[in-house]
Structure formats: C-alpha cells, structure tokens
Amino acid sequence: MNSAGHPEATARRGLELTPFRGLRYDPDRVGSLAAVTSPPYDVVVRPDGLLHLESADPYNIVRLILPQAATPEARNEQAARTLRRWTAEGVLTTDPDPGLYVYEQRDREGMLQRGIIGALRVSDPSEQVVLPHEDVMPHVVADRAALMRATRANLEPLLLTYRGDDATPATTALVERTAEQPPLLSTTTEDGFCHRLWSVTAPDTVARVRAELSRHQALIADGHHRWATYRTLRAEHPSPSPWDHGLVLLVDTARYPLRVRAIHRLLHGVPVHEAVAALAGHFRVRRLGTSLDESLETLAKAAGSGNALLLAGDGAFHLVDLPDPGLLARTIPTDRPEAWRTLDATVLHATLLAHVWHVPDDSASHISYIHDTAATVEKAERDGGTAVLMHPVREEVVRELARQGVTMPRKSTSFGPKPASGLVLRPLDA
C-alpha cells in the first residue's frame, strides 16, 4: 500500500473502521448545538478562548476536553464527574444502534468537506496503516491519557486522510447519498462553518465501507498526540477491549482536499528585541511594516526561495531569512532526508530554539503553539514575548516524509477544517 492509500497486491492489514453507539447532546437540553461545541483542545487559545467557550453554555464540551481545577488529578476527576452527571441528566444521550457517522462541514466561502466518523483499530507505526508525520510531546500524551482514563471516553475525533479515488466507490456513494438526506443534527458555529451529521446503521452498507477501507492506509492530519494516547491506552489493556479502537474522522482528500496552514510559536519571556539581537551574524533580519496581511505576503515570497519566518510582538514585523549555511551545517542533523533538513520548522527547532535562543521546545512555560495568526501576535504584544510566525508546508512534502517514516518537528502543520468537538463522543462503556 503506497502513501496515497492505494492497495498493493499483498494482503497487508489496512484501516479497520468499526461502528459505535455515539454519545450526543440532546438539542432540547442545551441552549444550542453551536453553543456547546468547541475547536479541538489544542486549538483553543487559552485563557481567552477557554473563558469564552465556558461562558457560551453551561454544557459546552470544553468542560470535558479542557477541565479547570487546581491539579491535573482534580481536573480529570472533574471531567469524569461532569460527563457522568450530563449523561445521568440526559444532557448527553447514547444513540440506540451502533453506526458510522457521515460528517459534513461547509463555510460561507464554499469550502466543503465530508468524511466518515468511526472507531478505528489502533495500529503500530510498523504496520504502516496510520502514518504520523509529526513528533509528539510526551507530557501532552500523558495528559490526554489521564483524561481518557478518567472519563473512559474518546471526547473528540482525530482527523485522518486517505486517498480514495476510484478504489472506494461504495464509500464515496454512501457519503454523497447520505448528505442528501435529513441530518441528525445541523448547526452553524460562530466561525461560519455549518456542521451536519448523519448516522449510518445498515449492516450491509457498513460492511461494504469497512471492506473498501481495509485496503487503504491513512495520514494523520490532526491529532498526533491523541493517536499516541490511543496507542498508550491500548497497551495498558489486554485485548480485546474498547481501548483497541479510537475515535476518528476519515476524509478522502482525493475528493475533498484539506487546507494546510501553519502553527505558530509564542516564546514566553523573550522580548522581540532580544530575539532579533541574537540573530546577528546568523540570519538576515529586516524590519517590515505593521500590517499583518502585507507581512505574511512578504513571508510567502521569501519562503519560496529558502527558509524564512516572521517575528512579532513589538508592534512591527521582522522578516528572518538567509540563514548562515555554516550554522545550519553545525546544528541540523544529517541523518534525515533533504526535505526534512530544509523545513522551516526544522531550522526553527534545531537551530534557532536550541542554539541561538536557547529556548526549550517541550515546555509550556517557555513556548506555546497557537494556530490563530492574529491571536499569536496579540498575545506576544500583550505578554512581552516573541511571536514566531511560520509559512505552511506543502501537503505533498508532508505525505512524502510520512511515507518514508520520517516525522517532522512537532506542530509543523495545521490541516483543516478540523472536526468540531462536541458533535459526537465515543463512550468506551457503551
């Protein structure tokens, strides 16, 4: 099976998607379905976005995916109690029959994405069934694992992609045909996306979809830490068990290409003037204007011919490019492909963070990873830190490195649109 997801002549075990009984909000018990949803846990900008979501509705899913308490243990127990209470009160109800779920997202500009949500068999990297493309941070995996242990639930789906083309006619037909039917739910969130969800329970239809997907592999588009969490929890429980599977959204990107955006960095306690001064003799730095859009355009042009990034936080933008080749040769590992060694994220982590700025990249007290560009700049200006704005990586580069088994630096890409959290959960005891 190749990186595009096409079957080989061999009988390699592929994607094994299983129906499940989804746990969903009762629309009669909440203010609105839109008010109880959230972006994925790692996209929520804290604390502002967290407080906004908590105030949107007393039953917002953020109280489960990002519980707030004095200690990690207290947070996880609080989430577990909240989930049990909402279930007991009927705020969340379990669907009567196991099924796969067709999920659609559409924005005001005509962006359309459709896929299938199900419980996917958790596999090891050596099986080449689910391909990661980014490294993970062990403390984040430990945090997510503790939350899932406490709640005994998959609270939000990962985003995986596969290449269907003509190899999945039944699956493609199912998705398109189902989208013509009245949905289980339909809601428009404040970001302008309309979300619709359908349940597919017919055994013969589910069987055809499962058979087609069993000949494919998938790329993790979003959710590397949660996939690593699934693998951790599966290893803790003797098989067979509910932990053998994890909640995912599978999107055929041959039909519905994803958007690829960058994930930015916020360096805490590093003022922009210090970050710029440390670059002297190592990189070229040019002060740009104060327009975010114009600066991003300049970054895109510079990234077309080499490594480039933007620094912000002092009211202006600073373009950083033309790294010293000797510095790169001394700091970047040589045991990886050229495509990996020339990534902006590789240069940032291996050269700038480790050797120029001396900022640990695995500690939330030193660095934050933020998807929203404007929010990154605003937080840097407010907190006196440095925003490091990245240019997105091309999807073909991501897939090729994943095919070779080479992982990119953590938080290198942001594929989207991401599934909203709160539309369907997977309880492990159902």
Side-chain angles (χ1 to χ4, degrees), residues 18-62:
T18 299
F20 69 102
R21 295 175 63 203
L23 185 65
R24 298 188 294 109
Y25 282 99
D26 181 343
D28 295 329
R29 296 296 307 275
V30 299
S32 74
L33 289 174
V36 296
T37 64
S38 165
Y41 80 99
D42 58 338
V43 180
V44 176
V45 179
R46 285 162 267 182
D48 301 352
L50 178 63
L51 294 174
H52 173 71
L53 291 165
E54 286 182 331
S55 63
D57 191 283
Y59 298 116
N60 190 283
I61 191 69
V62 77

Side-chain angles (χ1 to χ4, degrees), residues 164-177:
D165 294 332
D166 298 327
T168 53
T171 305
T172 299
L174 166 69
V175 170
E176 303 307 314
R177 185 174 64 248

Side-chain angles (χ1 to χ4, degrees), residues 302-317:
S305 58
N307 297 117
L309 48 85
L310 284 177
L311 304 185
D314 62 351
F317 295 91

Side-chain angles (χ1 to χ4, degrees), residues 21-263:
R21 295 175 63 203
L23 185 65
R24 298 188 294 109
Y25 282 99
D26 181 343
D28 295 329
R29 296 296 307 275
V30 299
S32 74
L33 289 174
V36 296
T37 64
S38 165
Y41 80 99
D42 58 338
V43 180
V44 176
V45 179
R46 285 162 267 182
D48 301 352
L50 178 63
L51 294 174
H52 173 71
L53 291 165
E54 286 182 331
S55 63
D57 191 283
Y59 298 116
N60 190 283
I61 191 69
V62 77
R63 287 179 168 79
L64 300 182
I65 63 174
L66 288 173
Q68 299 301 295
T71 67
E73 293 77 12
R75 289 196 295 270
N76 296 330
E77 181 52 37
Q78 177 177 291
R81 287 196 308 269
T82 300
L83 180 57
R84 289 194 298 266
R85 184 175 71 253
W86 290 357
T87 303
E89 294 174 353
V91 174
L92 289 167
T93 60
T94 304
D95 285 333
D97 301 309
L100 301 176
Y101 295 82
V102 172
Y103 176 48
E104 177 189 276
Q105 295 164 276
R106 187 192 299 266
D107 70 7
R108 300 187 186 99
E109 300 171 357
M111 170 75 180
L112 176 64
Q113 178 172 287
R114 291 173 178 155
I116 297 179
I117 295 175
L120 185 68
R121 180 183 70 88
V122 179
S123 57
D124 293 322
S126 60
E127 296 181 61
Q128 289 281 290
V129 173
V130 174
L131 303 175
H133 68 268
E134 289 184 358
D135 294 331
V136 298
M137 292 174 276
H139 74 276
V140 177
V141 175
D143 173 76
R144 290 294 101 184
L147 178 62
M148 287 190 205
R149 288 191 202 98
T151 58
R152 291 190 60 81
N154 299 151
L155 301 172
E156 45 186 349
L158 285 63
L159 174 59
L160 306 185
T161 74
Y162 69 100
R163 302 289 290 178
D165 294 332
D166 298 327
T168 53
T171 305
T172 299
L174 166 69
V175 170
E176 303 307 314
R177 185 174 64 248
T178 301
E180 297 175 355
Q181 306 302 315
L184 285 176
L185 65 86
S186 178
T187 189
T188 300
T189 46
E190 63 181 6
D191 59 2
F193 270 93
C194 176
H195 307 262
R196 299 200 296 166
L197 189 76
W198 298 260
S199 178
V200 178
T201 59
D204 56 340
T205 302
V206 170
R208 285 196 293 272
V209 170
R210 295 186 67 196
E212 286 185 349
L213 293 177
S214 71
R215 300 189 293 272
H216 285 69
Q217 64 182 177
L219 175 75
I220 300 177
D222 185 68
H224 284 82
H225 288 89
R226 283 168 285 166
W227 182 255
T229 299
Y230 290 167
R231 294 184 56 236
T232 296
L233 295 172
R234 182 200 59 175
E236 295 175 358
H237 297 82
S239 185
S241 82
W243 302 97
D244 290 342
H245 294 76
L247 185 63
V248 305
L249 165 64
L250 279 167
V251 173
D252 176 4
T253 51
R255 191 168 186 84
Y256 297 107
L258 299 185
R259 294 170 175 166
V260 186
R261 290 175 173 161
I263 302 176

Side-chain angles (χ1 to χ4, degrees), residues 16 90 125 149 217 229 270 281 314-315 366 370 376:
E16 296 181 32
R149 288 191 202 98
Q217 64 182 177
T229 299
V270 181
D314 62 351
H366 293 95
I370 304 177
T376 310

